[in-house]
């Protein structure tokens, strides 16, 4: 209604629809791949290899997800004790949470914790750790969190610089809450070890092959973008196409295995998620088209000239307001001419928007899923977990600034060093 002409309105709508559709198609492809892996009991590889019930060990295992080949190699090659092996697994499997989205990781891991630990205060703390870890694990990977994926697709961040700059801060944001929670009475108490009550489902035929190909398809997306220059959604759809051919070939002629094929998986994915993103992102795009987002960005620049403070404040706000519209609004407020790709601001936005949501249980999709599955209330999380999550959030920002400062000082030292020629 405010556009100078219908042609301009249609042009802006077409531009916004194209940008939003890239994210929606990416989400649809990724969700379908995860659904296929789950239908083949691919996540059973997690439960088959958890061998400890000790509270402190489970705390570190509960923070991350796990794959069977990783645990086998750790057990066979490192020959570590049970506790040491599981601690090592905790760090190795942290990488997997950067492949799956935080919501899927939380659902899988909270379901696992419910099978391992009887209802108790400690089980709630384990679930809270899953939330913190799920949000932290997606920070340093362009496909690990929707907000990071948005920044990656729009060109604010690129793959390798993001991984190099944000890996240590995201690890710190997880390690600090874990270390603090390890000192609490609920975790440090000498409780009796719980029995193994894991489900005894059998993996679907060729389930391990499908899980490997599905995980490989997700990991291949950044490589595909780097090699071809095509948008990420093309890479995820290519991976889904390969998985589609594979599952059709494996289950050809088996009528009882229809649920293991892609068409059935497409019918089972939660369409509310991509449709939510469609509505939110188009709404933010409309505000961007009117110039309102740019005005807000100029106001923040005038009153808060420090980009670190702006990014940190956005992270705190993301604990109350969903981080998706926040990041979308931030993209609309600042352009790449004033803040170029992989600048400190965009990397901090990726970190703060994801990990900031851990400070309140309503601050992320992972927290909301945990709240629904374990019937945890807002105030319990606020009293027991929020302080630890904030400590990790602040420690991660400090780690990022320290690493960046060290990086730039080293570059300056090397640049000033005299070059001797023989």
């Amino acid at each position: 209604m405010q556009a100078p002409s219908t042609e301009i309105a249609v042009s802006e709508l077409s531009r916004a629809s194209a940008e939003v559709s890239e994210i929606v198609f990416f989400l649809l492809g990724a969700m379908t791949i995860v659904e296929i892996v789950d239908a083949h009991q691919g996540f059973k590889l997690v439960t088959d290899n958890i061998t400890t019930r000790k509270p402190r060990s489970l705390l570190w295992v509960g923070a991350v997800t796990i794959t069977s080949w990783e645990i086998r190699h750790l057990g066979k090659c490192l020959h570590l004790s049970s506790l040491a092996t599981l601690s090592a697994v905790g760090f190795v499997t942290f990488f997997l949470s950067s492949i799956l989205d935080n919501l899927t990781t939380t659902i899988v891991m909270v379901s696992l914790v419910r099978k391992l630990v009887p209802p108790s205060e400690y089980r709630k703390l384990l679930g809270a750790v899953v939330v913190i870890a799920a949000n932290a694990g997606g920070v340093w990977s362009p496909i690990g969190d929707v907000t990071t994926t948005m920044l990656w697709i729009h060109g604010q961040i690129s793959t390798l610089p993001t991984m190099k700059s944000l890996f240590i801060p995201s690890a710190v944001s997880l390690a600090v809450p874990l270390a603090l929670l390890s000192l609490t009475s609920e975790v440090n108490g000498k409780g009796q070890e719980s029995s193994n009550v894991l489900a005894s489902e059998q993996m679907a035929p060729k389930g391990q092959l499908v899980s490997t190909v599905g995980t490989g398809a997700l990991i291949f997306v950044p490589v595909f973008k780097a090699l071809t220059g095509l948008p990420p959604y093309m890479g995820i759809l290519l991976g889904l196409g390969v998985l589609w051919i594979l599952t059709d070939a494996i289950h050809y002629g088996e009528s009882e295995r229809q649920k293991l094929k892609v068409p059935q998986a497409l019918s089972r994915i939660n369409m509310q998620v991509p449709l939510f993103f469609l509505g939110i992102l188009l709404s933010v795009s409309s505000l961007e088209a009117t110039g309102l987002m740019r005005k807000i960005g100029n106001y923040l620049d005038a009153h808060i000239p420090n980009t670190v403070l702006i990014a940190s404040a956005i992270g705190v706000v993301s604990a109350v307001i969903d981080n998706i519209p926040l990041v979308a609004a931030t993209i609309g407020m600042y352009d790449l001419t004033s803040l170029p790709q992989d600048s400190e601001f965009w990397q901090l936005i990726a970190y703060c928007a994801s990990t900031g949501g851990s400070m309140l249980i309503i601050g992320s999709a992972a927290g909301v899923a945990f709240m629904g599955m374990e019937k945890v209330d807002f105030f319990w999380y606020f009293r027991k977990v929020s302080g630890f999550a904030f400590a990790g959030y602040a420690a991660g920002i400090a780690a990022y600034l320290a690493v960046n400062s060290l990086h730039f000082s080293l570059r300056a030292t090397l640049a000033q060093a005299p070059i001797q020629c023989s």
Side-chain angles (χ1 to χ4, degrees):
M1 292 172 65
Q2 295 180 6
S5 66
T6 304
E7 289 74 16
I8 293 178
V10 171
S11 175
E12 287 294 321
L13 179 61
S14 299
R15 178 193 59 81
S17 299
E19 292 180 357
V20 173
S21 296
E22 288 190 22
I23 298 174
V24 171
F25 280 123
F26 183 91
L27 288 173
L28 286 173
M31 291 170 67
T32 307
I33 290 174
V34 171
E35 180 63 36
I36 285 289
V37 173
D38 188 34
H40 285 78
Q41 296 296 327
F43 297 121
K44 191 178 186 310
L45 299 175
V46 179
T47 60
D48 283 347
N49 294 286
I50 300 296
T51 57
T52 184
R53 305 291 176 269
K54 295 181 180 180
R56 188 171 291 179
S57 302
L58 277 174
L59 180 68
W60 290 88
V61 175
V64 288
T65 50
I66 183 173
T67 58
S68 106
W69 62 270
E70 288 169 335
I71 185 67
R72 288 199 191 102
H73 281 278
L74 283 171
K76 292 179 181 178
C77 300
L78 300 181
H79 303 289
L80 300 175
S81 65
S82 175
L83 178 58
T85 300
L86 287 170
S87 297
V89 165
F91 290 103
V92 172
T93 55
F94 173 65
F95 291 94
L96 192 57
S97 65
S98 65
I99 302 173
L100 300 178
D101 65 277
N102 57 356
L103 178 60
T104 302
T105 303
T106 300
I107 293 172
V108 170
M109 289 309 300
V110 170
S111 300
L112 169 62
V113 167
R114 295 175 69 174
K115 295 177 181 179
L116 292 173
V117 182
S120 60
E121 191 81 353
Y122 169 65
R123 191 168 91 174
K124 291 181 179 179
L125 285 177
L126 266 180
V129 168
V130 170
V131 172
I132 294 173
N135 290 331
V139 169
W140 59 276
S141 164
I143 61 172
D145 186 272
V146 176
T147 53
T148 313
T149 301
M150 287 169 56
L151 292 166
W152 181 50
I153 289 176
H154 283 89
Q156 277 75 19
I157 59 175
S158 57
T159 304
L160 290 180
T162 299
M163 295 174 73
K164 289 191 294 184
S165 299
L166 294 184
F167 174 74
I168 292 177
S170 63
V172 168
S173 73
L174 171 61
V176 169
L178 284 179
L180 295 174
L181 283 168
S182 296
L183 303 176
T184 61
S185 58
E186 291 90 346
V187 176
N188 205 30
K190 298 180 180 179
Q192 194 174 25
E193 295 181 4
S194 60
S195 60
N196 187 351
V197 291
L198 294 176
S200 57
E201 309 97 347
Q202 295 296 317
M203 287 192 70
K206 303 293 183 180
Q208 192 160 355
L209 173 62
V210 172
S211 301
T212 303
V213 174
T215 304
L218 294 171
I219 298 174
F220 178 69
V221 175
V223 180
F224 174 86
K225 183 178 186 296
L227 291 176
T228 66
L230 293 173
Y233 78 91
M234 292 294 292
I236 204 76
L237 292 180
L238 173 62
L240 178 60
V242 171
L243 199 61
W244 195 325
I245 294 172
L246 176 66
T247 51
D248 273 8
I250 290 173
H251 307 302
Y252 178 76
E254 303 288 343
S255 57
E256 69 277 5
R257 298 184 192 172
Q258 291 299 314
K259 66 176 184 178
L260 302 177
K261 296 183 179 181
V262 171
Q264 289 294 319
L266 280 167
S267 68
R268 291 194 301 270
I269 63 174
N270 185 3
M271 284 299 298
Q272 294 180 19
V273 174
L275 289 178
F276 167 77
F277 292 139
L278 177 65
I280 284 291
L281 296 178
L282 280 178
S283 298
V284 174
S285 294
S286 68
L287 296 176
E288 181 183 350
T290 61
L292 180 62
M293 306 310 299
R294 184 62 54 82
K295 291 179 181 178
I296 295 175
N298 293 336
Y299 177 85
L300 290 175
D301 284 338
H303 293 80
I304 312 177
N306 191 314
T307 56
V308 175
L309 291 179
I310 294 176
S312 302
I314 288 174
V316 173
V317 173
S318 72
V320 181
I321 302 174
D322 190 87
N323 56 3
I324 304 296
L326 270 180
V327 172
T330 305
I331 293 173
M333 285 189 283
Y334 302 96
D335 55 38
L336 291 172
T337 56
S338 57
L339 294 167
Q341 186 183 60
D342 294 322
S343 63
E344 181 183 81
F345 177 74
W346 293 121
Q347 291 183 346
L348 277 174
I349 287 294
Y351 169 82
C352 294
S354 297
T355 57
S358 300
M359 288 187 280
L360 293 177
I361 197 170
I362 61 172
S364 66
V368 173
F370 166 58
M371 181 168 59
M373 294 177 73
E374 284 293 284
K375 302 298 184 288
V376 174
D377 63 76
F378 174 89
F379 294 103
W380 178 90
Y381 189 95
F382 183 77
R383 285 185 290 106
K384 297 284 187 178
V385 182
S386 292
F388 298 138
F390 176 76
Y393 173 75
I397 295 175
Y400 176 85
L401 296 176
V403 170
N404 259 20
S405 176
L406 177 63
H407 175 69
F408 284 120
S409 63
L410 285 174
R411 286 180 59 184
T413 302
L414 292 173
Q416 294 172 4
I419 300 176
Q420 296 182 356
C421 298
S422 56

